[in-house]
PDB file of all heavy atoms in Angstrom:
ATOM      1  N   LEU A1284      59.402 -16.357 -60.892  1.00  0.00           N
ATOM      2  CA  LEU A1284      60.129 -15.383 -61.712  1.00  0.00           C
ATOM      3  C   LEU A1284      60.109 -15.844 -63.168  1.00  0.00           C
ATOM      4  O   LEU A1284      61.147 -16.155 -63.756  1.00  0.00           O
ATOM      5  CB  LEU A1284      61.560 -15.239 -61.190  1.00  0.00           C
ATOM      6  CG  LEU A1284      61.668 -14.822 -59.720  1.00  0.00           C
ATOM      7  CD1 LEU A1284      63.085 -15.015 -59.208  1.00  0.00           C
ATOM      8  CD2 LEU A1284      61.207 -13.389 -59.539  1.00  0.00           C
ATOM      9  N   THR A1285      58.940 -15.886 -63.770  1.00  0.00           N
ATOM     10  CA  THR A1285      58.766 -16.491 -65.085  1.00  0.00           C
ATOM     11  C   THR A1285      59.407 -15.709 -66.229  1.00  0.00           C
ATOM     12  O   THR A1285      59.689 -16.279 -67.276  1.00  0.00           O
ATOM     13  CB  THR A1285      57.277 -16.712 -65.388  1.00  0.00           C
ATOM     14  OG1 THR A1285      56.582 -15.466 -65.264  1.00  0.00           O
ATOM     15  CG2 THR A1285      56.669 -17.733 -64.428  1.00  0.00           C
ATOM     16  N   SER A1286      59.658 -14.410 -66.056  1.00  0.00           N
ATOM     17  CA  SER A1286      60.291 -13.614 -67.114  1.00  0.00           C
ATOM     18  C   SER A1286      61.780 -13.399 -66.857  1.00  0.00           C
ATOM     19  O   SER A1286      62.477 -12.833 -67.688  1.00  0.00           O
ATOM     20  CB  SER A1286      59.602 -12.247 -67.236  1.00  0.00           C
ATOM     21  OG  SER A1286      58.259 -12.402 -67.620  1.00  0.00           O
ATOM     22  N   ALA A1287      62.259 -13.837 -65.713  1.00  0.00           N
ATOM     23  CA  ALA A1287      63.669 -13.646 -65.355  1.00  0.00           C
ATOM     24  C   ALA A1287      64.506 -14.821 -65.852  1.00  0.00           C
ATOM     25  O   ALA A1287      64.001 -15.913 -66.085  1.00  0.00           O
ATOM     26  CB  ALA A1287      63.805 -13.518 -63.840  1.00  0.00           C
ATOM     27  N   ARG A1288      65.782 -14.574 -65.992  1.00  0.00           N
ATOM     28  CA  ARG A1288      66.740 -15.635 -66.309  1.00  0.00           C
ATOM     29  C   ARG A1288      67.342 -16.100 -64.978  1.00  0.00           C
ATOM     30  O   ARG A1288      68.253 -15.475 -64.449  1.00  0.00           O
ATOM     31  CB  ARG A1288      67.812 -15.108 -67.253  1.00  0.00           C
ATOM     32  CG  ARG A1288      67.263 -14.769 -68.627  1.00  0.00           C
ATOM     33  CD  ARG A1288      68.320 -14.255 -69.597  1.00  0.00           C
ATOM     34  NE  ARG A1288      69.215 -13.226 -69.070  1.00  0.00           N
ATOM     35  CZ  ARG A1288      68.935 -11.911 -69.024  1.00  0.00           C
ATOM     36  NH1 ARG A1288      67.780 -11.469 -69.445  1.00  0.00           N
ATOM     37  NH2 ARG A1288      69.804 -11.059 -68.544  1.00  0.00           N
ATOM     38  N   VAL A1289      66.793 -17.189 -64.457  1.00  0.00           N
ATOM     39  CA  VAL A1289      67.160 -17.650 -63.116  1.00  0.00           C
ATOM     40  C   VAL A1289      68.262 -18.693 -63.192  1.00  0.00           C
ATOM     41  O   VAL A1289      68.164 -19.669 -63.931  1.00  0.00           O
ATOM     42  CB  VAL A1289      65.937 -18.236 -62.371  1.00  0.00           C
ATOM     43  CG1 VAL A1289      66.336 -18.753 -61.001  1.00  0.00           C
ATOM     44  CG2 VAL A1289      64.835 -17.186 -62.248  1.00  0.00           C
ATOM     45  N   THR A1290      69.305 -18.464 -62.405  1.00  0.00           N
ATOM     46  CA  THR A1290      70.353 -19.453 -62.190  1.00  0.00           C
ATOM     47  C   THR A1290      70.160 -19.960 -60.771  1.00  0.00           C
ATOM     48  O   THR A1290      70.133 -19.171 -59.823  1.00  0.00           O
ATOM     49  CB  THR A1290      71.756 -18.820 -62.329  1.00  0.00           C
ATOM     50  OG1 THR A1290      71.894 -18.266 -63.630  1.00  0.00           O
ATOM     51  CG2 THR A1290      72.842 -19.845 -62.074  1.00  0.00           C
ATOM     52  N   TYR A1291      69.987 -21.253 -60.621  1.00  0.00           N
ATOM     53  CA  TYR A1291      69.748 -21.857 -59.307  1.00  0.00           C
ATOM     54  C   TYR A1291      71.019 -22.533 -58.835  1.00  0.00           C
ATOM     55  O   TYR A1291      71.695 -23.217 -59.610  1.00  0.00           O
ATOM     56  CB  TYR A1291      68.602 -22.866 -59.399  1.00  0.00           C
ATOM     57  CG  TYR A1291      68.311 -23.546 -58.098  1.00  0.00           C
ATOM     58  CD1 TYR A1291      67.538 -22.922 -57.132  1.00  0.00           C
ATOM     59  CD2 TYR A1291      68.828 -24.800 -57.821  1.00  0.00           C
ATOM     60  CE1 TYR A1291      67.282 -23.537 -55.916  1.00  0.00           C
ATOM     61  CE2 TYR A1291      68.576 -25.419 -56.616  1.00  0.00           C
ATOM     62  CZ  TYR A1291      67.807 -24.791 -55.675  1.00  0.00           C
ATOM     63  OH  TYR A1291      67.557 -25.404 -54.474  1.00  0.00           O
ATOM     64  N   TRP A1292      71.360 -22.353 -57.560  1.00  0.00           N
ATOM     65  CA  TRP A1292      72.572 -22.946 -57.005  1.00  0.00           C
ATOM     66  C   TRP A1292      72.326 -23.358 -55.569  1.00  0.00           C
ATOM     67  O   TRP A1292      71.715 -22.621 -54.800  1.00  0.00           O
ATOM     68  CB  TRP A1292      73.718 -21.945 -57.086  1.00  0.00           C
ATOM     69  CG  TRP A1292      75.029 -22.440 -56.570  1.00  0.00           C
ATOM     70  CD1 TRP A1292      75.676 -23.585 -56.929  1.00  0.00           C
ATOM     71  CD2 TRP A1292      75.855 -21.803 -55.610  1.00  0.00           C
ATOM     72  NE1 TRP A1292      76.872 -23.690 -56.256  1.00  0.00           N
ATOM     73  CE2 TRP A1292      77.000 -22.601 -55.426  1.00  0.00           C
ATOM     74  CE3 TRP A1292      75.740 -20.625 -54.878  1.00  0.00           C
ATOM     75  CZ2 TRP A1292      78.018 -22.265 -54.562  1.00  0.00           C
ATOM     76  CZ3 TRP A1292      76.759 -20.290 -54.011  1.00  0.00           C
ATOM     77  CH2 TRP A1292      77.886 -21.107 -53.854  1.00  0.00           C
ATOM     78  N   GLU A1293      72.764 -24.556 -55.205  1.00  0.00           N
ATOM     79  CA  GLU A1293      72.704 -25.006 -53.816  1.00  0.00           C
ATOM     80  C   GLU A1293      74.094 -24.902 -53.213  1.00  0.00           C
ATOM     81  O   GLU A1293      75.043 -25.491 -53.713  1.00  0.00           O
ATOM     82  CB  GLU A1293      72.202 -26.452 -53.727  1.00  0.00           C
ATOM     83  CG  GLU A1293      70.716 -26.552 -53.928  1.00  0.00           C
ATOM     84  CD  GLU A1293      70.180 -27.932 -53.610  1.00  0.00           C
ATOM     85  OE1 GLU A1293      70.742 -28.637 -52.745  1.00  0.00           O
ATOM     86  OE2 GLU A1293      69.183 -28.309 -54.244  1.00  0.00           O
ATOM     87  N   LEU A1294      74.189 -24.138 -52.143  1.00  0.00           N
ATOM     88  CA  LEU A1294      75.446 -23.908 -51.445  1.00  0.00           C
ATOM     89  C   LEU A1294      75.608 -24.942 -50.340  1.00  0.00           C
ATOM     90  O   LEU A1294      74.740 -25.088 -49.481  1.00  0.00           O
ATOM     91  CB  LEU A1294      75.447 -22.496 -50.846  1.00  0.00           C
ATOM     92  CG  LEU A1294      76.563 -22.135 -49.880  1.00  0.00           C
ATOM     93  CD1 LEU A1294      77.918 -22.193 -50.585  1.00  0.00           C
ATOM     94  CD2 LEU A1294      76.325 -20.750 -49.290  1.00  0.00           C
ATOM     95  N   ALA A1295      76.709 -25.666 -50.389  1.00  0.00           N
ATOM     96  CA  ALA A1295      77.047 -26.607 -49.320  1.00  0.00           C
ATOM     97  C   ALA A1295      78.073 -25.922 -48.426  1.00  0.00           C
ATOM     98  O   ALA A1295      79.147 -25.548 -48.882  1.00  0.00           O
ATOM     99  CB  ALA A1295      77.619 -27.897 -49.896  1.00  0.00           C
ATOM    100  N   LEU A1296      77.705 -25.703 -47.171  1.00  0.00           N
ATOM    101  CA  LEU A1296      78.601 -25.036 -46.242  1.00  0.00           C
ATOM    102  C   LEU A1296      79.683 -25.981 -45.767  1.00  0.00           C
ATOM    103  O   LEU A1296      79.487 -27.190 -45.706  1.00  0.00           O
ATOM    104  CB  LEU A1296      77.818 -24.504 -45.040  1.00  0.00           C
ATOM    105  CG  LEU A1296      76.737 -23.475 -45.365  1.00  0.00           C
ATOM    106  CD1 LEU A1296      75.946 -23.133 -44.117  1.00  0.00           C
ATOM    107  CD2 LEU A1296      77.345 -22.230 -45.972  1.00  0.00           C
ATOM    108  N   GLY A1297      80.803 -25.410 -45.403  1.00  0.00           N
ATOM    109  CA  GLY A1297      81.916 -26.203 -44.892  1.00  0.00           C
ATOM    110  C   GLY A1297      81.629 -26.752 -43.502  1.00  0.00           C
ATOM    111  O   GLY A1297      80.674 -26.351 -42.836  1.00  0.00           O
ATOM    112  N   GLY A1298      82.447 -27.644 -43.055  1.00  0.00           N
ATOM    113  CA  GLY A1298      82.277 -28.279 -41.748  1.00  0.00           C
ATOM    114  C   GLY A1298      82.416 -27.326 -40.580  1.00  0.00           C
ATOM    115  O   GLY A1298      81.979 -27.619 -39.481  1.00  0.00           O
ATOM    116  N   SER A1299      83.004 -26.143 -40.812  1.00  0.00           N
ATOM    117  CA  SER A1299      83.180 -25.193 -39.721  1.00  0.00           C
ATOM    118  C   SER A1299      81.918 -24.386 -39.436  1.00  0.00           C
ATOM    119  O   SER A1299      81.842 -23.679 -38.442  1.00  0.00           O
ATOM    120  CB  SER A1299      84.324 -24.224 -40.051  1.00  0.00           C
ATOM    121  OG  SER A1299      83.992 -23.459 -41.202  1.00  0.00           O
ATOM    122  N   ALA A1300      80.914 -24.502 -40.307  1.00  0.00           N
ATOM    123  CA  ALA A1300      79.662 -23.752 -40.113  1.00  0.00           C
ATOM    124  C   ALA A1300      78.915 -24.327 -38.918  1.00  0.00           C
ATOM    125  O   ALA A1300      78.690 -25.523 -38.836  1.00  0.00           O
ATOM    126  CB  ALA A1300      78.805 -23.825 -41.366  1.00  0.00           C
ATOM    127  N   THR A1301      78.557 -23.462 -37.993  1.00  0.00           N
ATOM    128  CA  THR A1301      77.844 -23.908 -36.794  1.00  0.00           C
ATOM    129  C   THR A1301      76.513 -23.170 -36.676  1.00  0.00           C
ATOM    130  O   THR A1301      76.298 -22.150 -37.304  1.00  0.00           O
ATOM    131  CB  THR A1301      78.671 -23.633 -35.527  1.00  0.00           C
ATOM    132  OG1 THR A1301      78.919 -22.227 -35.448  1.00  0.00           O
ATOM    133  CG2 THR A1301      79.984 -24.388 -35.562  1.00  0.00           C
ATOM    134  N   GLY A1302      75.637 -23.696 -35.859  1.00  0.00           N
ATOM    135  CA  GLY A1302      74.348 -23.062 -35.628  1.00  0.00           C
ATOM    136  C   GLY A1302      73.385 -23.317 -36.766  1.00  0.00           C
ATOM    137  O   GLY A1302      73.553 -24.239 -37.563  1.00  0.00           O
ATOM    138  N   SER A1303      72.383 -22.474 -36.851  1.00  0.00           N
ATOM    139  CA  SER A1303      71.365 -22.597 -37.885  1.00  0.00           C
ATOM    140  C   SER A1303      71.965 -22.450 -39.269  1.00  0.00           C
ATOM    141  O   SER A1303      72.694 -21.501 -39.538  1.00  0.00           O
ATOM    142  CB  SER A1303      70.293 -21.520 -37.677  1.00  0.00           C
ATOM    143  OG  SER A1303      69.455 -21.431 -38.810  1.00  0.00           O
ATOM    144  N   ARG A1304      71.673 -23.379 -40.160  1.00  0.00           N
ATOM    145  CA  ARG A1304      72.154 -23.297 -41.539  1.00  0.00           C
ATOM    146  C   ARG A1304      71.619 -22.053 -42.237  1.00  0.00           C
ATOM    147  O   ARG A1304      72.217 -21.550 -43.166  1.00  0.00           O
ATOM    148  CB  ARG A1304      71.737 -24.541 -42.330  1.00  0.00           C
ATOM    149  CG  ARG A1304      72.491 -25.779 -41.948  1.00  0.00           C
ATOM    150  CD  ARG A1304      73.900 -25.604 -42.385  1.00  0.00           C
ATOM    151  NE  ARG A1304      74.603 -26.866 -42.478  1.00  0.00           N
ATOM    152  CZ  ARG A1304      75.883 -26.986 -42.174  1.00  0.00           C
ATOM    153  NH1 ARG A1304      76.556 -25.959 -41.747  1.00  0.00           N
ATOM    154  NH2 ARG A1304      76.483 -28.141 -42.305  1.00  0.00           N
ATOM    155  N   HIS A1305      70.473 -21.553 -41.783  1.00  0.00           N
ATOM    156  CA  HIS A1305      69.860 -20.391 -42.413  1.00  0.00           C
ATOM    157  C   HIS A1305      70.769 -19.158 -42.292  1.00  0.00           C
ATOM    158  O   HIS A1305      70.781 -18.303 -43.166  1.00  0.00           O
ATOM    159  CB  HIS A1305      68.499 -20.115 -41.781  1.00  0.00           C
ATOM    160  CG  HIS A1305      67.689 -19.109 -42.527  1.00  0.00           C
ATOM    161  ND1 HIS A1305      67.196 -19.338 -43.789  1.00  0.00           N
ATOM    162  CD2 HIS A1305      67.283 -17.857 -42.189  1.00  0.00           C
ATOM    163  CE1 HIS A1305      66.522 -18.271 -44.201  1.00  0.00           C
ATOM    164  NE2 HIS A1305      66.556 -17.362 -43.245  1.00  0.00           N
ATOM    165  N   TYR A1306      71.524 -19.077 -41.207  1.00  0.00           N
ATOM    166  CA  TYR A1306      72.410 -17.931 -40.991  1.00  0.00           C
ATOM    167  C   TYR A1306      73.892 -18.276 -41.078  1.00  0.00           C
ATOM    168  O   TYR A1306      74.732 -17.377 -41.110  1.00  0.00           O
ATOM    169  CB  TYR A1306      72.121 -17.307 -39.622  1.00  0.00           C
ATOM    170  CG  TYR A1306      70.699 -16.830 -39.496  1.00  0.00           C
ATOM    171  CD1 TYR A1306      69.787 -17.525 -38.712  1.00  0.00           C
ATOM    172  CD2 TYR A1306      70.258 -15.709 -40.180  1.00  0.00           C
ATOM    173  CE1 TYR A1306      68.466 -17.097 -38.606  1.00  0.00           C
ATOM    174  CE2 TYR A1306      68.947 -15.273 -40.087  1.00  0.00           C
ATOM    175  CZ  TYR A1306      68.057 -15.974 -39.294  1.00  0.00           C
ATOM    176  OH  TYR A1306      66.772 -15.556 -39.195  1.00  0.00           O
ATOM    177  N   ALA A1307      74.229 -19.539 -41.105  1.00  0.00           N
ATOM    178  CA  ALA A1307      75.632 -19.955 -41.078  1.00  0.00           C
ATOM    179  C   ALA A1307      76.415 -19.478 -42.295  1.00  0.00           C
ATOM    180  O   ALA A1307      77.627 -19.298 -42.222  1.00  0.00           O
ATOM    181  CB  ALA A1307      75.731 -21.477 -40.952  1.00  0.00           C
ATOM    182  N   TRP A1308      75.754 -19.240 -43.419  1.00  0.00           N
ATOM    183  CA  TRP A1308      76.463 -18.782 -44.618  1.00  0.00           C
ATOM    184  C   TRP A1308      77.142 -17.435 -44.380  1.00  0.00           C
ATOM    185  O   TRP A1308      78.101 -17.094 -45.074  1.00  0.00           O
ATOM    186  CB  TRP A1308      75.513 -18.703 -45.812  1.00  0.00           C
ATOM    187  CG  TRP A1308      74.411 -17.698 -45.665  1.00  0.00           C
ATOM    188  CD1 TRP A1308      73.160 -17.924 -45.166  1.00  0.00           C
ATOM    189  CD2 TRP A1308      74.447 -16.325 -46.021  1.00  0.00           C
ATOM    190  NE1 TRP A1308      72.419 -16.773 -45.184  1.00  0.00           N
ATOM    191  CE2 TRP A1308      73.188 -15.760 -45.710  1.00  0.00           C
ATOM    192  CE3 TRP A1308      75.417 -15.491 -46.584  1.00  0.00           C
ATOM    193  CZ2 TRP A1308      72.884 -14.423 -45.925  1.00  0.00           C
ATOM    194  CZ3 TRP A1308      75.112 -14.158 -46.801  1.00  0.00           C
ATOM    195  CH2 TRP A1308      73.863 -13.636 -46.477  1.00  0.00           C
TER     196      TRP A1308
END
């Protein structure tokens, strides 16, 4: 996305998140 203004963020899920991290959010 070279022309976009990208904000990057890594989300750390809480301890209650179970199963695949891909869907736990």
Side-chain angles (χ1 to χ4, degrees):
L1284 303 167
T1285 56
S1286 297
R1288 293 181 313 277
V1289 178
T1290 301
Y1291 179 81
W1292 181 53
E1293 284 190 30
L1294 170 63
L1296 299 174
S1299 63
T1301 59
S1303 168
R1304 288 292 199 215
H1305 191 67
Y1306 300 107
W1308 64 268

